[in-house]
Amino acid sequence: MKTKSHETAADVAAYRAIDLIYHSYLTGLILKVSSQAGPQRAAEIVFRTFRRQQLARFLPGLKKLGLDGLPNAVACAQYHYLSNQVGGVKVEYVYESDKKAWVRYPPPRWIWSGTAICGIPSDVSRAMLRGWHANNGVVLGNPRLGFVCTGQTVDGQPGLEGYYKEWDHDLAPEERLQFSPGERCPAFDPERAPKLLENTWPEQRLLKVLRNYSMEYITSIVPETVAALGPDAGGHLAGAAARLIGMHTFDEVATHLGGVEPGAAGFAKAFARIARGQGDDAELSQDGNAFTVRQTSWRLMSERENLSPSVFDAWNELWVGAALTHDRFMSVDVTERRDRGDACWAWRFR
């Protein structure tokens, strides 16, 4: 048996499985670091993750969404409203003036789904705002623009909320993120909120964006964990979280995929399908009772250079964990690695 395929745009089931895996891994990794390395280190990693994404995605995103001609405060708030909405996140937007606009993330919070909200320290939530919201004025070249947080869900308030504001004076670095818990976001009116143009954002594009939304968080957070904690400690924690998430999500992943056949054959087929769903050129072959998946690409980390091998080792634990749930007697071996000079990445299941 030998099959070969490129990314199948219509494989919505694989997209949903990928979104589940990486969304869960993002939350699980933050919880793992927070509980075992401490809230301060977790906050540092969350800050680095969101700052990296802000620098890479914010300005291009403004243009893609057609917001780059709006007043800065309004453009920032609308960006968070539309981009998070595209990613499946519950979010609200309220215009107050050209120099003040609100954004609100009501519960349930996407990033802290389910019971995870109970394990997130306040400083970790604040780190997201420091990493992204506080830096928008800097990236836009507007030293008067900052963000005021008026509530955080992790502190027991009914949503993470706040507003972008343009002051009449330049802000010092420590003033770019402020807290004002006595204020409250006005009521949200969906009819007055901005909307995506259907001809620009058709359904198929939105499905891919949903997949990419979760993938990009892992593109950022796993290397940043290793960079912040070192390849040994960071790789260990990222890998430990990955294995747990792989084990605890695989039943639901299999349901999304319409079921997974027993044994190594079934798991290898599912693994190859998920790889193709991520945009990789996965090829599945059989040799006796062993099944091998090879791919020359690793789209998840294609934008990252000079990665520590521990990044791959940690990420690979997702599939080790998933395999342990599928069939704990099955062996999973990485037989080739491009980060070690081989022509491809290869996994052998038997």
Side-chain angles (χ1 to χ4, degrees), residues 71-99:
N72 287 166
V74 176
C76 289
Q78 288 197 17
Y79 172 85
H80 290 295
Y81 176 73
L82 291 173
S83 65
N84 281 285
Q85 192 177 66
V86 166
V89 178
K90 193 176 178 182
V91 63
E92 299 175 355
Y93 160 84
V94 178
Y95 171 88
E96 191 164 322
S97 74
D98 282 357
K99 293 191 175 184

Side-chain angles (χ1 to χ4, degrees), residues 4-63:
K4 190 173 183 178
S5 175
H6 54 76
E7 179 183 3
T8 304
D11 196 351
V12 176
Y15 289 170
R16 289 175 176 160
I18 292 162
D19 174 53
L20 168 66
I21 292 165
Y22 288 136
H23 178 189
S24 302
Y25 186 25
L26 169 67
T27 306
L29 178 50
I30 294 171
L31 287 169
K32 191 72 169 174
V33 173
S34 183
S35 64
Q36 297 198 10
Q40 185 176 356
R41 302 313 301 270
E44 177 188 356
I45 289 166
V46 168
F47 169 80
R48 294 172 66 132
T49 297
F50 278 79
R51 178 58 56 86
R52 181 191 179 277
Q53 293 199 193
Q54 193 260 355
L55 292 174
R57 304 299 180 197
F58 178 53
L59 289 182
L62 283 178
K63 290 187 177 181

Side-chain angles (χ1 to χ4, degrees), residues 97-138:
S97 74
D98 282 357
K99 293 191 175 184
K100 184 179 179 182
W102 293 77
V103 63
R104 179 171 181 269
Y105 307 89
R109 292 295 314 286
W110 177 86
I111 193 171
W112 317 132
S113 60
T115 57
I117 188 74
C118 298
I120 302 300
S122 181
D123 285 347
V124 171
S125 180
R126 291 183 177 216
M128 292 191 301
L129 302 176
R130 289 193 296 111
W132 193 306
H133 297 63
N135 203 52
N136 278 1
V138 175

Side-chain angles (χ1 to χ4, degrees), residues 21-272:
I21 292 165
Y22 288 136
H23 178 189
S24 302
Y25 186 25
L26 169 67
T27 306
L29 178 50
I30 294 171
L31 287 169
K32 191 72 169 174
V33 173
S34 183
S35 64
Q36 297 198 10
Q40 185 176 356
R41 302 313 301 270
E44 177 188 356
I45 289 166
V46 168
F47 169 80
R48 294 172 66 132
T49 297
F50 278 79
R51 178 58 56 86
R52 181 191 179 277
Q53 293 199 193
Q54 193 260 355
L55 292 174
R57 304 299 180 197
F58 178 53
L59 289 182
L62 283 178
K63 290 187 177 181
K64 284 182 181 179
L65 293 168
L67 306 175
D68 48 329
L70 296 176
N72 287 166
V74 176
C76 289
Q78 288 197 17
Y79 172 85
H80 290 295
Y81 176 73
L82 291 173
S83 65
N84 281 285
Q85 192 177 66
V86 166
V89 178
K90 193 176 178 182
V91 63
E92 299 175 355
Y93 160 84
V94 178
Y95 171 88
E96 191 164 322
S97 74
D98 282 357
K99 293 191 175 184
K100 184 179 179 182
W102 293 77
V103 63
R104 179 171 181 269
Y105 307 89
R109 292 295 314 286
W110 177 86
I111 193 171
W112 317 132
S113 60
T115 57
I117 188 74
C118 298
I120 302 300
S122 181
D123 285 347
V124 171
S125 180
R126 291 183 177 216
M128 292 191 301
L129 302 176
R130 289 193 296 111
W132 193 306
H133 297 63
N135 203 52
N136 278 1
V138 175
V139 170
L140 290 170
N142 184 348
R144 299 184 175 191
L145 183 69
F147 186 79
V148 179
C149 177
T150 60
Q152 291 198 113
T153 320
V154 297
D155 294 335
Q157 293 150 343
L160 174 67
E161 66 175 40
Y163 54 85
Y164 282 98
K165 179 179 176 180
E166 186 172 340
W167 276 261
D168 58 4
H169 61 275
D170 291 356
L171 301 178
E174 64 273 13
E175 294 177 315
R176 294 170 187 159
L177 175 62
Q178 302 179 28
F179 292 86
S180 182
E183 297 185 68
R184 181 178 296 181
C185 180
F188 171 58
D189 182 356
E191 295 303 316
R192 301 181 65 184
K195 294 177 175 57
L196 297 168
L197 297 176
E198 292 185 5
N199 60 339
T200 305
W201 293 89
E203 182 181 5
Q204 190 61 48
R205 185 181 182 188
L206 288 172
L207 290 170
K208 286 189 176 183
V209 170
L210 185 64
R211 172 200 68 179
N212 293 345
Y213 191 85
S214 293
M215 287 179 64
E216 286 185 2
Y217 276 110
I218 304 307
T219 300
S220 296
I221 198 169
V222 178
E224 295 303 332
T225 300
V226 170
L229 303 181
D232 291 335
H236 169 72
L237 288 178
R243 180 176 288 214
L244 292 173
I245 294 302
M247 288 193 292
H248 268 241
T249 59
F250 186 72
D251 279 359
E252 193 172 349
V253 165
T255 299
H256 278 309
L257 296 178
V260 176
E261 298 172 20
F267 190 84
K269 290 177 184 177
F271 181 83

